[in-house]
Amino acid sequence: MPWLGPDLQTLRNTLRRPRHSLPAGEALIFPMDDGSGDSLAGTLHRPAVPAAARPLVVLIHGLAGSEDSPYIRAAAGAVLARGHAVLRLNLRGAGPFVGRTRQRYHAGRTQDARAVLAHLAAALPDLTAAGVVVVGYSLAGNMVLKLMGEVGALPPMVRGGVAVSAPIDLSATSRRFLKARNRPYHLWLLRQMKAETLATPAEPGTAEVERQAAVRRARTIYDFDDGYVAPANGWRDAEDYYRVNSALQFLPAITRPTLVIHALDDPWIAPEPYLAFDWAAHPALVPLIVTKGGHVGFHAARRGHEAILEGAILGGGWLDQCLVRFLGTLA
């Protein structure tokens, strides 16, 4: 099937539900050091034939996803085949820890990524000796770009980053979700966000009681961010959360190789922030901005997608081929 149009590209994994078999992995737990008592979970896979001096790849899912999202499993198989160890990481309150954390992930929670990286360096020095490449999809793509651009806070072990379909302007993305054509996506995501958040009961007498009441009242993702994400993390409102955490402002500070993959027909994310940014002025950034591909889609039948800024036309399995080729430039 050619998967024509941005919506079929976006929905392909939902419609087909590919499993992407992987070899057995090792379950890892990453305690957070912020006093919350929360932990993150992930699954580590070691390649059958390890390749020397190849960095560990950390894959991070998007909103309402987990380590078992099809795009995460597909990418894990691709990089394992190339000889990289790979960690499929669940964000805080996702995957095995839905309903088991006091706090939850958001688009700018880079401190969790840094805590995981520190744990990996201490516990698995053999796998991190060649460095780490952090790969984020959708919401986690914004988080990875923010991480890469946080001057003075990026761990030396990070050799590069990859962001796929990242909402680099969070306010613009929130407004785009309100368009009538995105209503089915919007309602589905909002249901998932509410279910994940309300899976952890609020302790009586705490501020979480009112925040969860705001979650139940929310009719839009903006309402959710305004009534829950912002106050739970110390921001004034949704616009304050978006302003502080949008990756667009962090792009100019990125100095380590970072691949940015995005489709201009993404139904969830407006193209203007990508088109307006001066990519050529920032040589560490490798933009692969293509005309077609949907949101975390890029499912090619026989031909790849035409890159309008940089990058070559590739064949099927386009997204994972891009990732593998980028890793090859770092090895």
Side-chain angles (χ1 to χ4, degrees):
M1 182 174 179
W3 303 105
L4 298 174
D7 295 303
L8 283 179
Q9 285 283 329
T10 301
L11 293 169
R12 184 258 193 185
N13 284 335
T14 301
L15 296 173
R16 291 196 62 179
R17 299 186 181 277
R19 182 59 185 165
H20 301 295
S21 296
L22 293 170
E26 176 185 352
L28 298 180
I29 302 297
F30 303 97
M32 295 294 98
D33 56 3
D34 55 11
S36 65
D38 292 348
S39 295
L40 276 62
T43 300
L44 175 71
H45 300 273
R46 299 173 186 260
V49 182
R54 293 197 171 170
L56 168 68
V57 178
V58 178
L59 303 172
I60 312 177
H61 62 86
L63 188 64
S66 75
E67 65 175 298
D68 281 322
S69 294
Y71 53 87
I72 296 290
R73 297 183 65 91
V79 298
L80 274 171
R82 193 178 178 274
H84 293 265
V86 60
L87 172 67
R88 296 184 288 128
L89 180 66
N90 297 282
L91 292 170
R92 188 184 300 225
F97 281 102
V98 169
R100 297 171 58 189
T101 60
R102 295 176 63 187
Q103 300 178 19
R104 281 185 39 78
Y105 65 88
H106 59 72
R109 197 163 196 136
T110 52
Q111 61 268 39
D112 285 5
R114 288 194 297 271
V116 169
L117 293 172
H119 183 99
L120 289 170
L124 299 168
D126 59 321
L127 293 184
T128 57
V132 175
V133 175
V134 188
V135 184
Y137 297 80
S138 193
L139 176 140
N142 181 89
M143 188 185 76
V144 166
L145 292 174
K146 180 173 179 282
L147 174 74
M148 298 300 294
E150 289 178 325
V151 178
L154 183 62
M157 66 192 293
V158 177
R159 292 182 56 188
V162 180
V164 179
S165 299
I168 59 176
D169 184 330
L170 295 170
S171 181
T173 300
S174 181
R175 292 194 302 272
R176 190 175 178 90
F177 262 117
L178 296 176
K179 290 183 177 293
R181 60 119 35 237
N182 282 330
R183 182 171 174 78
Y185 295 127
H186 192 174
L187 293 177
W188 182 85
L189 277 173
L190 185 60
R191 282 197 299 270
Q192 302 305 309
M193 293 160 65
K194 286 186 172 188
E196 285 184 347
T197 303
L198 297 175
T200 303
E203 296 180 16
T206 66
E208 185 68 6
V209 173
E210 175 52 35
R211 291 196 292 261
Q212 289 200 1
V215 169
R216 294 185 180 92
R217 293 193 301 268
R219 294 294 177 265
T220 65
I221 290 174
Y222 185 94
D223 292 344
F224 182 95
D225 291 339
D226 196 58
Y228 183 81
V229 177
N233 292 281
W235 295 300
R236 182 177 62 255
D237 52 24
E239 291 299 335
D240 193 30
Y241 160 52
Y242 299 153
R243 178 186 59 79
V244 170
N245 293 286
S246 290
L248 189 59
Q249 65 192 306
F250 293 90
L251 295 181
I254 294 176
T255 59
R256 299 182 206 176
T258 302
L259 176 62
V260 181
I261 301 175
H262 186 67
L264 296 177
D265 70 348
D266 189 319
W268 299 6
I269 299 172
E272 287 79 10
Y274 281 90
L275 292 172
F277 186 78
D278 187 1
W279 299 98
H282 306 285
L285 298 173
V286 183
L288 192 48
I289 314 298
V290 299
T291 55
K292 298 178 181 180
H295 187 76
V296 193
F298 311 101
H299 306 293
R302 292 184 177 84
R303 295 188 300 173
H305 308 276
E306 179 188 358
I308 69 166
L309 294 182
E310 289 189 21
I313 295 177
L314 306 175
W318 187 84
L319 183 56
D320 296 329
Q321 285 191 35
C322 292
L323 172 57
V324 166
R325 290 194 182 190
F326 177 71
L327 292 172
T329 69
L330 304 177

